[in-house]
């Protein structure tokens, strides 16, 4: 069984890249951000203040996140409800960045994530996969890009959907998220010592996919 870990900041293109590589190598893609987003949705629906750590810890035993695959696409279930349609927005992303800094939230997902590598070749992306979840991954990638490039990509994505948005605000939000994800005490976002750094600021999606596949072939001789 092979495992590939891809970590990096918000908007670096991890999920687009990871999905492509998983498909081309016939790996199962595991999006751990979606799991943290499902938990964030639970607390948003409840109206919980993310600073209320005691309430969040007390609620954690009541939250069950599970994963299913439909036509190869990961589906996240929150206490049995498929929440894929509710977790891909900025409100949930920002809440996930806050609630994921609480140890009980991370503990609730760790075993689920680790157990997934036992039954299939896995490509997992997130913030702490190479450093914490899969320290023995066969290949670790730290995928990043400048905040300006990440903000512009996000801006183009949103305007293409017809949403009105402001580039400077998007970049400011991205920088705040980076700070939260990199400076928390537990499992902060950082490059693992044995990870390969890929800066996609001046690369196309195809170039990034090829560079990571090349690393995999080099390391695993497949
Ligand atoms: O990758 P994403 O934007 O879907 O992740 C949402 C938030 O979840 C992110 O800001 C931090 C948190 N997260 C985490 O703490 N650890 C992970 N492995 C994945 C995501």
């Amino acid at each position: 069984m092979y495992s590939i870990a891809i970590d990096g900041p918000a908007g670096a293109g991890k999920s687009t890249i990871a999905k492509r590589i998983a498909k081309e190598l016939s790996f199962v893609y595991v999006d751990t951000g979606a799991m943290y987003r499902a938990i964030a949705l639970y607390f948003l629906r409840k109206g919980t203040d993310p600073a209320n750590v005691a309430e969040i810890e007390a609620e954690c035993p009541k939250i069950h996140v599970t994963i299913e695959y439909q036509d190869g696409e990961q589906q996240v279930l929150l206490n049995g409800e498929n929440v894929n349609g509710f977790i891909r927005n900025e409100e949930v992303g920002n809440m996930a960045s806050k609630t994921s800094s609480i140890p009980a939230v991370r503990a609730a997902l760790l075993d689920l994530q680790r157990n997934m590598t036992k039954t299939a070749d896995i490509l997992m992306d997130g913030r702490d996969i190479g450093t914490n979840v899969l320290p023995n991954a066969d290949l670790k990638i730290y995928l990043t890009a400048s905040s300006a490039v990440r903000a512009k990509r996000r801006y183009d994505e949103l305007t293409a959907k017809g949403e009105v948005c402001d580039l400077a605000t998007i970049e400011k939000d991205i920088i705040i998220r980076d700070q939260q994800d990199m400076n928390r005490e537990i499992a902060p976002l950082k490059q693992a010592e044995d990870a390969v750094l890929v800066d996609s600021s001046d690369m196309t999606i195809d170039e990034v996919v090829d560079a990571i596949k090349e690393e995999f072939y080099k390391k695993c001789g497949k």
Side-chain angles (χ1 to χ4, degrees):
M1 243 35 110
Y2 288 102
S3 57
I4 300 177
I6 302 186
D7 291 299
K14 294 187 301 293
S15 61
T16 308
I17 302 291
K19 269 187 202 159
R20 276 267 311 266
I21 297 172
K23 197 163 184 198
E24 291 178 26
L25 296 178
S26 299
F27 276 43
V28 173
Y29 168 49
V30 182
D31 171 0
T32 62
M35 302 175 187
Y36 285 100
R37 284 170 182 263
I39 294 187
L41 178 69
Y42 177 93
F43 289 115
L44 276 173
R45 284 175 171 174
K46 251 189 140 279
T48 306
D49 176 353
N52 191 342
V53 176
E55 182 182 336
I56 290 178
E57 282 176 350
E59 285 295 312
C60 275
K62 299 182 205 158
I63 307 175
H64 298 285
V65 173
T66 45
I67 294 295
E68 273 178 16
Y69 285 85
Q70 278 172 18
D71 301 325
E73 282 279 320
Q74 175 182 295
Q75 310 292 320
V76 185
L77 282 78
L78 173 62
N79 292 337
E81 174 196 354
N82 186 328
V83 293
N84 265 34
F86 304 106
I87 57 176
R88 295 272 148 231
N89 58 59
E90 295 307 298
E91 190 191 16
V92 173
N94 290 333
M95 184 71 165
S97 179
K98 295 195 179 95
T99 51
S100 64
S101 67
I102 296 167
V105 169
R106 306 203 71 80
L109 295 176
L110 192 60
D111 284 347
L112 169 68
Q113 293 167 358
R114 286 196 175 142
N115 285 337
M116 293 191 81
T117 60
K118 291 182 184 157
T119 49
D121 293 327
I122 291 285
L123 192 162
M124 192 176 285
D125 78 3
R127 301 292 186 288
D128 64 333
I129 311 307
T131 51
N132 186 47
V133 180
L134 306 178
N136 299 320
D138 297 293
L139 173 66
K140 298 179 187 177
I141 301 289
Y142 190 81
L143 180 64
T144 190
S146 69
S147 59
V149 167
R150 287 184 282 138
K152 180 68 172 52
R153 288 178 186 160
R154 186 81 191 114
Y155 174 85
D156 290 344
E157 227 173 79
L158 292 170
T159 45
K161 281 198 236 163
E163 287 183 35
V164 179
C165 53
D166 171 54
L167 184 59
T169 309
I170 294 177
E171 185 170 0
K172 204 180 88 208
D173 282 351
I174 280 185
I175 292 170
I176 292 172
R177 264 243 250 157
D178 285 356
Q179 280 165 355
Q180 282 174 178
D181 294 349
M182 289 172 175
N183 295 316
R184 65 183 179 216
E185 263 176 45
I186 178 167
L189 168 65
K190 64 167 190 234
Q191 184 180 340
E193 272 175 24
D194 49 352
V196 177
L197 174 67
V198 178
D199 184 334
S200 72
S201 302
D202 299 313
M203 292 168 86
T204 63
I205 292 174
D206 282 345
E207 285 170 341
V208 177
V209 167
D210 287 347
I212 296 176
K213 277 168 62 187
E214 200 52 44
E215 289 296 335
F216 177 70
Y217 296 136
K218 255 197 313 199
K219 275 235 155 121
C220 301
K222 241 192 149 190

